[in-house]
Amino acid sequence: MSCRPIYFNPSAAEERCDFSNIQGLSHFHHSLPGYRATPLVSLPEVAAELGVKAVLVKDESNRFGLPSFKVLGASWGCYRSVVSHLGLSPTVGLEDVKQRLKKNPVTLFAATEGNHGRAVAFMARHLGVTARIFVPASMDEETRNRIASEGADVVISEGDYDQAVQEAWLASQNDGALLVQDTAFDGYEEVPAWIVEGYSTMMTEIDEQLAQLGLQSTLTVTPVGVGSLAHAVVRHCKSRTTPIAVVAVEPDSGPCLISSLHAGTMVTVKSSETIMNGMNCGTVSATAWPDLRRVIDAAVTVSSYESHCAVQYLISHSVRAGPCGGASLAAIRRLEESGQAASLLHRDSVVVLLCAEGARPYPVPRDVAVEDVVGFTQALTQINSSNPTLSVADGAGEAEIADYLAAWFAHRGMEYHRVEPVAGRPSIVGVLRGSGGGKSLMFNGHIDTVSLTSYEQDPFSGHLGEKQGKPVIFGRGSLDMKGGLAAALAALTAIKSSGRTLRGDVIIAAVSDEEDASQGTRDVIAAGWRADAAVVPEPTMEAIAIAHKGFVWVEVDILGVAAHGSDPQAGEDAILHAGWFLQLLEQYQKRLPIDDTLGQASLHCGLIKGGQEPSSYPERCTITIEFRTIPAQSSESILQDMNALLSDTAKKNPRFRYAPPRLTVSRPTQKLSADHPLVQKTIACAAEVLRDSPEVVSVPFWCDAALLSEVGVPAIVYGPSGAGLHSKEEWVEVESLQTMSRVFEKLIQEFCA
């Protein structure tokens, strides 16, 4: 069950807006080439699904040849801006305006997420003037090209939509141009108000079309971006003798209106990836906010996947909708599913859905509604997140899975943060805030996987199957460690959906790059994220791991002299000389220290590189040694030992030369007492769920728990069972996933109470 907030405002039924017909608006739109009323399409199957009298969709997929209603407001805003600039009457004909512009040209500026900017460019071309359109850096190339196809200069802002608006405003001021923007802000209110007026033509058309069918609307569902269309809708619907209820819909990724409604004041939200580009705005228009706050009856958010499903349905019923167009249908379905909208949806309701844009290409989104641990593990496994610094072929990196997790948190109205100091290597930190005074618990799970080259079947199948008589999920990363992360997220969802109150925060750190340099956890730590304790749900086969070795990589250069292979007097063979050092290294290995928990430290030579071709003496041989360390060792002590070993080799072999050894990577050991409160609390929770206490062990592999412990966050490693880590076939056991999710849920309740 979704735990996203829905906003209801019962007092809106009694509120009214003052609104009258706009002088010259109808004549203006009718005078534009190709004007015709867009269709109002009946959806009887949806009406039956919702239990209402009628559902009709206003199809704005083709308005003046553009795939959006936006041109209604943009054209009127451009026209009023230009005639005001020229000192003309607001009823002057378009041809007269164009003639005056030939003598006194002006440039039109705008910022956009897509359709508004294209509409301004369209109107500028119609008026015979230049348009300059500012777009956020995240806008895809195809959308930019569609704006440019209208003859506009497209300027890419380095920030989000709100920053693009500010850049367009400043640039228009500097260039003496006209900004035609549908977002109002301090000192800029008149033009957005004209744009809102322009949308009234659509609402008038709806009234006339319903009258022809003998119907009258009781509810209108409107998309919200900055709120200009929604403002036009409420002004129209709430100025009638019999007012029409209004439901607003926003993407999960940019819920600026619903966040402001819940807060009771305008707030700015940080938007993230969505297919509903034109609605993905961070701040409500200042002129729209006062009316929206008073008269919106309900507000909901929808995911990209919900919008996509609605688009598919509309297209199958001859409505060529785009993602912003599908949002209204997705919203009304979600409202009905909530069981809280009986006053809005009943057998006499006539519902009008505003389909705000036409069909366009977009990446098919993944379903973020999944909450059970099995489905979630499958969803994560199906995303390619192979580590690009490990893969023989280029790894995909973590961007797609980070976007998915951001959308997953947004879908539930949960706080989340994208941590990405290294471009292309994002981590996502989600937070369920407690009421205060309790202990915080972090689950740290990596979202990258090792390379795919060794996997024999489809590495992204995520399919359910059987292994050794047990149900399992197959796929690269299913065990290492998307299953463990899914178990933590499923536990978090269960806590939030239940309405149970925690005093402490629950933090999910979904981190990048653990399989190589642990960039993600280091980034999260550097960003200041801490907790009173942490669980790293790596696959421990349901044992609680309290210790693991660290590791250190040291590079040693053995030096020779390059020469032709036929000239042994001039050449010194660095590779051959390296053998002298390796013999002493083998003896040194036997003397490595021993820890009572972790056993003996170890080393191996992971890489050896030397020479250019067979016919030349190699001038250098580089050996990379990996040490698996225990607390008695340090990076400094290992370098000292290597220097001593190299010096001893040189003493025994006068021709032996070397460069000082280099430390390339160093990761600490992890060791927590079995008596630590975190360990004991976890044992108690597991015993209550499983009726048996898990084993407490040390593990041979390294993981990010050590980095957390190093900065004062006591951590354990505790995750599900399976097999095939880094091998040709990988799987995680379904029953183990379900077990871990229940234990994590119990641990959250107990630890953060």
Side-chain angles (χ1 to χ4, degrees):
M1 177 179 176
S2 174
C3 43
R4 285 175 291 167
I6 296 178
Y7 174 85
F8 288 100
N9 179 17
S11 65
E14 307 301 322
E15 295 286 347
R16 298 292 183 272
C17 289
D18 294 326
F19 189 63
S20 56
N21 291 332
I22 297 104
Q23 183 184 15
L25 176 62
S26 178
H27 177 266
F28 167 77
H29 279 144
H30 283 72
S31 71
L32 290 174
Y35 170 80
R36 65 176 179 83
T38 53
L40 190 66
V41 180
S42 178
L43 300 176
E45 292 176 357
V46 178
E49 172 191 327
L50 300 177
V52 300
K53 184 175 183 179
V55 174
L56 305 104
V57 58
K58 181 64 167 170
D59 180 4
E60 290 292 317
S61 61
N62 185 1
R63 178 71 78 169
F64 298 116
L66 297 182
S68 168
F69 75 98
K70 288 278 191 178
V71 69
L72 290 173
S75 61
W76 182 244
C78 290
Y79 168 78
R80 288 299 307 270
S81 297
V82 169
V83 297
S84 175
H85 174 73
L86 296 174
L88 302 175
S89 163
T91 57
V92 66
L94 270 176
E95 289 305 316
D96 290 339
V97 173
K98 287 195 273 188
Q99 290 302 317
R100 288 290 295 272
L101 284 171
K102 287 181 181 179
K103 299 177 181 177
N104 299 286
V106 67
T107 301
L108 303 183
F109 279 47
T112 187
E113 281 279 0
N115 287 318
H116 172 72
R118 186 178 179 186
V120 170
F122 162 85
M123 193 61 189
R125 180 165 56 83
H126 186 67
L127 292 170
V129 298
T130 300
R132 186 166 298 157
I133 309 300
F134 288 70
V135 303
S138 59
M139 180 179 287
D140 62 275
E141 185 177 2
E142 190 162 352
T143 303
R144 296 200 302 265
N145 290 341
R146 284 194 291 269
I147 297 168
S149 72
E150 301 294 337
D153 297 328
V154 177
V155 180
I156 301 174
S157 167
E158 291 306 313
D160 58 10
Y161 170 79
D162 287 348
Q163 184 171 327
V165 171
Q166 290 304 307
E167 290 179 12
W169 166 245
L170 292 172
S172 68
Q173 296 290 293
N174 292 335
D175 291 8
L178 300 179
L179 179 69
V180 184
Q181 194 59 46
D182 53 356
T183 304
F185 47 86
D186 285 344
Y188 186 80
E189 289 90 12
E190 188 173 41
V191 177
W194 288 333
I195 291 172
V196 170
E197 290 177 353
Y199 298 146
S200 301
T201 293
M202 178 173 60
M203 304 308 297
T204 302
E205 289 176 0
I206 292 171
D207 287 345
E208 294 170 350
Q209 290 166 318
L210 286 172
Q212 292 172 6
L213 299 171
L215 298 172
Q216 183 172 324
S217 174
T218 64
L219 174 64
T220 299
V221 184
T222 177
V224 176
V226 295
S228 296
L229 172 60
H231 196 196
V233 171
V234 299
R235 288 173 68 180
H236 181 88
C237 292
K238 298 294 186 176
S239 64
R240 302 167 60 97
T241 305
T242 304
I244 300 168
V246 178
V247 172
V249 56
E250 297 176 280
D252 291 334
S253 59
C256 58
L257 176 60
I258 197 169
S259 298
S260 298
L261 291 170
H262 280 297
T265 187
M266 277 182 62
V267 298
T268 295
V269 300
K270 186 168 180 60
S271 59
S272 56
E273 290 292 319
T274 180
I275 60 172
M276 293 169 277
N277 304 71
M279 299 164 61
N280 201 30
C281 303
T283 309
V284 182
S285 175
T287 53
W289 166 245
D291 282 340
L292 296 180
R293 180 181 183 181
R294 284 190 310 112
V295 304
I296 284 286
D297 294 86
V300 301
T301 64
V302 297
S303 69
S304 288
Y305 185 76
E306 288 169 323
S307 172
H308 166 70
C309 292
V311 165
Q312 297 300 106
Y313 180 88
L314 290 172
I315 289 175
S316 72
H317 287 71
S318 302
V319 178
R320 296 187 67 255
C324 295
S328 295
L329 175 56
I332 203 68
R333 283 174 163 165
R334 177 157 184 257
L335 199 65
E336 191 275 333
E337 289 169 0
S338 75
Q340 303 175 64
S343 63
L344 300 174
L345 298 174
H346 47 77
R347 65 181 183 180
D348 295 323
S349 297
V350 176
V351 180
V352 175
L353 308 176
L354 301 186
C355 176
E357 71 168 352
R360 58 176 170 82
Y362 60 86
V364 175
R366 299 178 185 273
D367 186 7
V368 293
V370 61
E371 296 185 340
D372 70 286
V373 66
V374 174
F376 204 3
T377 300
Q378 290 179 287
L380 294 178
T381 302
Q382 288 162 1
I383 301 173
N384 181 358
S385 58
S386 51
N387 193 311
T389 57
L390 290 180
S391 301
V392 175
D394 288 343
E398 299 89 356
E400 184 181 354
I401 197 168
D403 288 344
Y404 177 83
L405 289 168
W408 190 90
F409 283 113
H411 187 66
R412 289 154 181 78
M414 291 178 63
E415 175 187 343
Y416 68 93
H417 305 266
R418 190 181 185 98
V419 181
E420 192 176 4
V422 177
R425 309 308 301 271
S427 300
I428 299 293
V429 178
V431 186
L432 178 62
R433 292 289 179 187
S435 59
K439 291 186 290 185
S440 57
L441 181 64
M442 176 189 288
F443 289 87
N444 177 293
H446 67 84
I447 53 178
D448 64 320
T449 73
V450 293
S451 64
L452 313 174
T453 51
S454 63
Y455 208 90
E456 288 191 345
Q457 303 298 321
D458 177 6
F460 313 123
S461 70
H463 78 272
L464 280 167
E466 189 174 290
K467 208 76 177 176
Q468 300 170 354
K470 298 178 180 180
V472 300
I473 298 169
F474 290 95
R476 175 62 81 220
S478 57
L479 181 64
D480 185 16
M481 61 173 295
K482 294 175 179 180
L485 179 61
L489 288 161
L492 183 73
T493 301
I495 293 288
K496 190 174 192 299
S497 298
S498 71
R500 284 170 282 187
T501 301
L502 302 173
R503 291 193 302 146
D505 298 340
V506 185
I507 302 166
I508 305 285
V511 298
S512 64
D513 195 42
E514 190 274 347
E515 295 289 4
D516 187 16
S518 293
Q519 184 69 49
T521 292
R522 291 189 291 125
D523 290 342
V524 166
I525 289 171
W529 290 98
R530 300 289 190 276
D532 291 305
V535 177
V536 179
E538 291 273 12
T540 61
M541 312 305 141
E542 297 184 30
I544 298 174
I546 59 172
H548 64 68
K549 293 175 181 176
F551 70 91
V552 171
W553 292 352
V554 175
E555 284 185 350
V556 175
D557 286 337
I558 311 303
L559 305 178
V561 176
H564 194 280
S566 64
D567 190 2
Q569 299 304 316
E572 291 284 355
D573 191 336
I575 296 175
L576 198 59
H577 292 182
W580 298 332
F581 168 71
L582 293 174
Q583 287 178 335
L584 291 185
L585 187 66
E586 185 178 15
Q587 296 303 313
Y588 167 81
Q589 181 183 25
K590 298 173 184 177
R591 304 192 303 272
L592 288 171
I594 299 172
D595 182 80
D596 56 354
T597 300
L598 294 167
Q600 187 174 26
S602 65
L603 68 82
H604 69 279
C605 295
L607 291 171
I608 185 164
K609 298 178 182 178
Q612 299 296 322
E613 64 274 322
S615 60
S616 297
Y617 278 81
E619 68 175 350
R620 183 181 301 266
C621 178
T622 301
I623 302 167
T624 302
I625 309 163
E626 181 182 74
F627 295 82
R628 290 289 169 159
T629 59
I630 61 173
Q633 296 171 292
S634 67
S635 298
E636 292 75 17
S637 70
I638 287 171
L639 283 176
Q640 287 173 3
D641 287 352
M642 290 302 97
N643 268 311
L645 209 61
L646 288 162
S647 176
D648 287 347
T649 306
K651 288 176 184 176
K652 294 179 181 179
N653 303 278
R655 292 164 58 199
F656 181 82
R657 295 186 304 118
Y658 62 91
R662 300 182 300 279
L663 181 75
T664 59
V665 176
S666 176
R667 296 289 180 265
T669 56
Q670 158 73 3
K671 192 173 181 182
L672 195 65
S673 168
D675 296 328
H676 191 280
L678 171 63
V679 179
Q680 293 302 308
K681 177 67 73 176
T682 307
I683 292 172
C685 291
E688 188 169 340
V689 171
L690 305 174
R691 302 289 183 255
D692 192 15
S693 296
E695 187 181 3
V696 178
V697 300
S698 62
V699 290
F701 57 79
W702 189 91
C703 72
D704 284 349
L707 295 178
L708 295 168
S709 294
E710 190 177 39
V711 294
V713 179
I716 59 171
V717 188
Y718 182 35
S721 298
L725 283 85
H726 299 204
S727 69
K728 63 182 181 180
E729 185 179 58
E730 182 178 349
W731 69 88
V732 63
E733 295 177 8
V734 167
E735 185 179 355
S736 183
L737 288 172
Q738 294 166 335
T739 295
M740 296 309 304
S741 182
R742 294 197 305 273
V743 173
F744 290 164
E745 183 181 348
K746 182 68 176 173
L747 180 61
I748 291 169
Q749 284 180 262
E750 296 288 330
F751 194 87
C752 302

